[in-house]
Amino acid sequence: MRKINLYIFSRRPEISVGKTRLKKRVGKIIGSNFYLNNLLNTIRIFYNDKRINLKICVNPDKAVTEWPIYIFPKIKRIPQGKGDLGVKMWNIINFDNKAKIIIGGDIQDIKKPYIIDAWKKLKNRDIVFGPSEDGGFWLIGISKVRKLNFIFQGVDWSLENTLAQVIFQLPKYISVDFTKTLTDVD
């Protein structure tokens, strides 16, 4: 099996940014602690696995250099860039020509077998999605077998049919598969 190129999307963990909806429900401190702990757990799961090339895609972009020193400082960090979530994911999809999997740092029940399953499916499919229970997706894998145009045009990231919106925009010749449905925390 070729090495898995795994990119974790992450905001720089701080009390004042990110997870706005969660923080409104549980408070800034609890929400920030949840996010930090979940991010650390996610990185720990994949960090020492020699089958995985792990990178963190950070927001804001200056977090490439202004990253907390206690959060795995040796992992390569890449700026997400400007724009909505679709534009930021597209930046990473097109970062290089390699097949890759993108996940968020907020997936509570993430496990290595789910990533391995998605990677194996990319051998025979152009795109693999990990659906989330809220109608979005927690994982997108791109095989890079075919050249894609921007697939996130006009996607509303806060609706119950986000994944369906993306799939609807895919050209008919693009093959799609799915991995385990999980919960991402908004």
Side-chain angles (χ1 to χ4, degrees):
M1 183 171 81
R2 61 189 174 169
K3 276 196 160 191
I4 298 169
N5 298 306
L6 180 62
Y7 295 73
I8 299 174
F9 261 52
S10 175
R11 288 187 171 272
R12 182 178 54 214
E14 334 179 359
I15 291 175
S16 59
V17 297
K19 295 293 155 206
T20 309
R21 287 177 278 188
L22 174 65
K23 290 176 183 178
K24 283 181 182 174
R25 288 192 308 258
V26 300
K28 285 184 177 183
I29 303 291
I30 293 172
S32 296
N33 283 337
F34 163 82
Y35 183 71
L36 173 59
N37 289 328
N38 207 77
L39 175 63
L40 290 172
N41 184 54
T42 300
I43 294 171
R44 273 188 210 108
I45 290 170
F46 303 107
Y47 183 67
N48 286 319
D49 193 318
K50 301 296 183 211
R51 300 170 294 178
I52 297 175
N53 290 321
L54 183 62
K55 294 180 178 63
I56 302 174
C57 305
V58 296
N59 185 20
D61 289 351
K62 64 183 178 180
V64 167
T65 55
E66 297 175 7
W67 187 254
I69 60 172
Y70 59 88
I71 302 179
F72 299 93
K74 293 182 181 176
I75 297 175
K76 182 170 181 162
R77 293 178 302 279
I78 301 167
Q80 292 178 15
K82 305 279 185 248
D84 71 8
L85 180 59
V87 171
K88 291 175 181 182
M89 282 193 294
W90 198 247
N91 290 339
I92 301 307
I93 287 169
N94 290 299
F95 177 71
D96 57 31
N97 271 342
K98 296 178 181 174
K100 60 185 55 89
I101 291 176
I102 299 171
I103 63 172
D106 58 355
I107 315 303
Q108 281 185 290
D109 296 322
I110 189 81
K111 291 184 177 43
K112 215 179 288 187
Y114 306 153
I115 301 302
I116 293 169
D117 176 58
W119 192 250
K120 286 178 180 176
K121 289 179 178 187
L122 282 176
K123 285 177 104 176
N124 300 313
R125 297 291 186 261
D126 297 316
I127 298 178
V128 173
F129 290 102
S132 60
E133 292 178 357
D134 65 2
F137 54 95
W138 64 271
L139 173 148
I140 183 169
I142 304 287
S143 70
K144 286 297 191 178
V145 170
R146 302 180 193 262
K147 181 144 176 67
L148 285 173
N149 291 325
F150 186 66
I151 59 173
F152 303 117
Q153 187 67 42
V155 171
D156 188 330
W157 297 99
S158 62
L159 294 180
E160 295 174 352
N161 67 344
T162 300
L163 178 55
Q165 291 176 62
V166 174
I167 291 172
F168 181 76
Q169 294 189 59
L170 293 175
K172 301 298 179 220
Y173 60 84
I174 297 297
S175 59
V176 176
D177 206 342
F178 301 90
T179 191
K180 182 136 176 89
T181 300
L182 294 177
T183 301
D184 63 345
V185 178
D186 290 329

